[in-house]
């Protein structure tokens, strides 16, 4: 049908391996047209807005949160099933009233929801697992819908790590969750866990006055989705091993542990919901050594709609052994770029962890190298944030940590490290 979303899959790699070469790397570029303009409006969608109303949200924060939640409700299109949750040490549906449920968005229900939101008050603790469990029960009541939750918090989770982890594992893949952290008293690692488990994003709202705009943008993006889920189905030969599958653009997200076996040689990796967009994935396959001139299919990648098992695009990851040094040592540009972006993320995480533990030497070395990679790969925003944490003497090249670093700068650097830049085109 003409209005069905169309997907494309392009594979970038250097297939040539030296005689003892075993690792095959490829970047998969997946694009979706999203279908006809009216298609998003035709798709069934379910949205849950989760607002932290714990005691730390008192004062101006709860006022901004109420406005942000109202903005999200206003952004919902007619016909979307939705609910609003207030989160403390428990979770409560504040709209619609009565038994926990979803309601269709109409001018009347949006107005009712805004009135309910205007009465939210700050009190109690923080238990994000409880919030997500309630959201999950609500969203899975619409099994054919594009399911999305928006979670905002300003504090640290009070649940035991094992309890929180069990909730994330139990609901992973059931719906997509985008998270926002407000202020400087929340823990990026906690929202990172949510985003990784729920195939979503997490971001830092540095100025709480910007919260409504963040809510509007994330809700608008959710409303633009046209496909509830898409899986990367990867086959490798019996003698090979799939080392990892990672999303590398627009953000870093390791999908390796999210595999669902199709058969012993094939696994599905979830990618979440799709609209008109493009994402890139890095696949690494370990193969046994081959003979010079021998070519094999090291991987067969398909894009599959899990609901119908329809294959919407496919492509091959190849390997060919050669004794031509020029061929086997050439690193594909996209592979090199995203390997560098992943290294940048790891350096920032290692550096910030070392700094928190008082290991000045390790922190300085990691963050200085991260600054260099950020500058060279066009991550000017990240380079500027790194300059606020580590300074480099231009004359000697000596790096040293800055003494007084704002907590907000550190959080922004931490959260921003999962975002990647696209490979620059030559001449740009």
């Amino acid at each position: 049908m003409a209005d069905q979303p169309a997907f494309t899959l392009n594979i970038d790699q250097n297939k040539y391996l030296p005689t003892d070469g075993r690792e095959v790397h490829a970047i998969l570029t997946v694009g979706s047209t999203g279908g006809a303009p009216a298609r998003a409006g035709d798709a069934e969608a379910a949205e849950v807005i989760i607002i932290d109303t714990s005691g730390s949200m008192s004062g101006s924060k709860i006022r901004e949160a109420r406005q942000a939640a109202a903005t999200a409700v206003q952004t919902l299109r007619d016909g979307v099933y939705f609910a609003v949750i207030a989160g403390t040490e428990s979770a409560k549906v504040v709209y619609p009233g009565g038994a926990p449920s979803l309601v269709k968005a109409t001018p009347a229900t949006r107005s009712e929801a805004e009135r309910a939101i205007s009465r939210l008050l700050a009190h109690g603790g923080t238990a994000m697992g409880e919030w997500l469990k309630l959201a999950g029960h609500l969203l899975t009541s619409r099994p054919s819908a594009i399911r999305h939750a928006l979670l905002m918090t300003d504090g640290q989770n009070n649940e035991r790590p094992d309890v929180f982890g069990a909730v994330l594992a139990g609901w992973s893949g059931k719906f997509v969750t985008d998270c926002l952290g407000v202020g400087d008293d929340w823990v990026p690692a906690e929202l990172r866990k949510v985003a990784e488990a729920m195939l979503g994003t997490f971001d830092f709202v540095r100025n709480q006055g910007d919260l409504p705009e963040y809510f509007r943008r994330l809700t608008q993006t959710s409303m633009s989705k046209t496909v509830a889920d898409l899986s990367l189905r990867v086959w490798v030969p019996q003698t090979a091993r799939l080392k990892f599958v990672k999303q590398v653009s627009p953000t870093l997200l390791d999908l390796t542990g999210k595999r669902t076996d199709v058969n012993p040689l094939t696994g599905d990796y979830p990618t979440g919901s799709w609209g008109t967009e493009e994402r890139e994935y890095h696949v690494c396959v370990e193969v046994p050594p081959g003979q010079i001139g021998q070519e094999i299919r090291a991987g067969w990648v398909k894009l599959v709609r899990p609901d119908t098992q329809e294959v919407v695009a496919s492509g091959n990851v190849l390997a060919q052994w050669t004794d031509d040094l020029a061929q086997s040592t050439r690193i594909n540009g996209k592979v090199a770029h995203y390997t560098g972006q992943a290294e940048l993320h790891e350096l920032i995480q290692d550096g910030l962890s070392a700094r928190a533990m008082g290991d000045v030497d390790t922190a300085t070395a990691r963050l200085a190298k991260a600054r260099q990679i950020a500058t060279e790969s066009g991550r000017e925003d990240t380079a500027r944030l790194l300059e606020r944490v580590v300074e480099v003497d231009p004359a000697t090249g000596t790096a040293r940590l800055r003494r007084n670093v704002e907590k907000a700068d550190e959080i922004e650097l931490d959260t921003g490290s999962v975002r990647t830049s696209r490979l620059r085109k030559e001449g740009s």
Side-chain angles (χ1 to χ4, degrees), residues 94-95 103 107-117 119:
V94 294
Y95 187 81
V103 66
T109 59
R110 279 193 288 266
S111 294
E112 290 170 3
E114 288 177 48
R115 285 195 292 274
I117 289 166
R119 296 190 290 269

Side-chain angles (χ1 to χ4, degrees), residues 341-374:
Q341 295 290 287
E343 183 186 8
L344 173 60
H345 168 69
E346 291 173 7
L347 287 167
I348 291 173
Q349 293 298 311
D350 289 348
L352 290 176
S353 295
R355 181 176 175 275
M357 292 186 294
D359 184 349
V360 175
D361 291 343
T362 300
T364 304
R366 298 289 194 276
L367 294 172
K369 187 174 182 182
R371 180 178 166 178
Q372 178 186 354
I373 293 175

Side-chain angles (χ1 to χ4, degrees), residues 41-55:
D42 296 339
E44 183 183 344
E47 184 81 21
V48 172
I49 301 159
I50 307 172
I51 305 298
D52 182 345
T53 58
S54 61

Side-chain angles (χ1 to χ4, degrees), residues 100-170:
S101 62
L102 299 173
V103 66
K104 272 191 176 183
T106 66
T109 59
R110 279 193 288 266
S111 294
E112 290 170 3
E114 288 177 48
R115 285 195 292 274
I117 289 166
S118 71
R119 296 190 290 269
L120 290 176
L121 299 174
H123 64 91
T126 303
M128 286 188 274
E130 292 298 309
W131 310 351
L132 289 167
K133 275 198 294 186
L134 180 53
H137 288 301
L138 292 169
L139 289 167
T140 51
S141 69
R142 310 300 308 180
S144 62
I146 297 170
R147 300 182 295 275
H148 179 259
L150 199 169
L151 184 154
M152 182 279 293
T153 185
D154 81 323
Q156 301 177 21
N157 197 28
N158 302 145
E159 295 168 308
R160 293 203 323 264
D162 59 323
V163 172
F164 187 41
V167 172
L168 295 179

Side-chain angles (χ1 to χ4, degrees), residues 24-232:
V24 183
H25 292 266
I27 299 297
L28 320 175
T29 301
V30 179
S32 169
T33 62
R39 184 71 184 170
D42 296 339
E44 183 183 344
E47 184 81 21
V48 172
I49 301 159
I50 307 172
I51 305 298
D52 182 345
T53 58
S54 61
S56 59
M57 285 291 295
S58 60
S60 61
K61 282 184 183 176
I62 194 65
R63 289 195 295 272
E64 299 289 0
R66 288 194 293 251
Q67 185 181 345
T71 300
V73 168
Q74 292 161 7
T75 309
L76 297 172
R77 67 172 185 267
D78 283 349
V80 170
Y81 291 89
F82 80 103
V84 181
I85 289 176
T88 57
E89 65 274 5
S90 61
K92 178 183 178 183
V93 177
V94 294
Y95 187 81
S101 62
L102 299 173
V103 66
K104 272 191 176 183
T106 66
T109 59
R110 279 193 288 266
S111 294
E112 290 170 3
E114 288 177 48
R115 285 195 292 274
I117 289 166
S118 71
R119 296 190 290 269
L120 290 176
L121 299 174
H123 64 91
T126 303
M128 286 188 274
E130 292 298 309
W131 310 351
L132 289 167
K133 275 198 294 186
L134 180 53
H137 288 301
L138 292 169
L139 289 167
T140 51
S141 69
R142 310 300 308 180
S144 62
I146 297 170
R147 300 182 295 275
H148 179 259
L150 199 169
L151 184 154
M152 182 279 293
T153 185
D154 81 323
Q156 301 177 21
N157 197 28
N158 302 145
E159 295 168 308
R160 293 203 323 264
D162 59 323
V163 172
F164 187 41
V167 172
L168 295 179
W171 288 100
S172 181
K174 304 293 196 305
F175 59 99
V176 172
T177 304
D178 291 320
C179 307
L180 295 172
V182 184
D184 58 11
D185 196 36
W186 59 284
V187 181
E190 290 177 350
L191 289 195
R192 182 180 292 111
K193 288 178 182 177
V194 177
E196 289 175 350
M198 311 307 292
L199 298 173
T201 62
F202 76 111
D203 211 342
F204 172 41
V205 184
R206 186 169 187 139
N207 180 354
Q208 66 188 45
D210 295 334
L211 197 56
E213 175 56 24
Y214 276 84
F215 269 56
R216 184 200 62 77
R217 188 171 68 246
L218 286 172
T219 307
Q220 201 168 52
T221 298
S222 174
M223 294 297 96
S224 71
K225 301 299 185 182
T226 55
V227 173
D229 194 14
L230 190 72
S231 293
L232 283 175

Side-chain angles (χ1 to χ4, degrees), residues 9 230-235 242 260 262-263 266-269 299-306 309-311 313 315:
L9 170 63
L230 190 72
S231 293
L232 283 175
R233 179 166 293 177
V234 185
W235 168 93
L242 185 57
T260 300
V262 176
N263 57 52
T266 310
D268 279 357
Y269 298 84
W300 186 12
V301 182
K302 300 176 182 179
L303 303 179
V304 179
R305 296 185 63 159
Q309 294 298 301
E310 176 191 4
V311 177

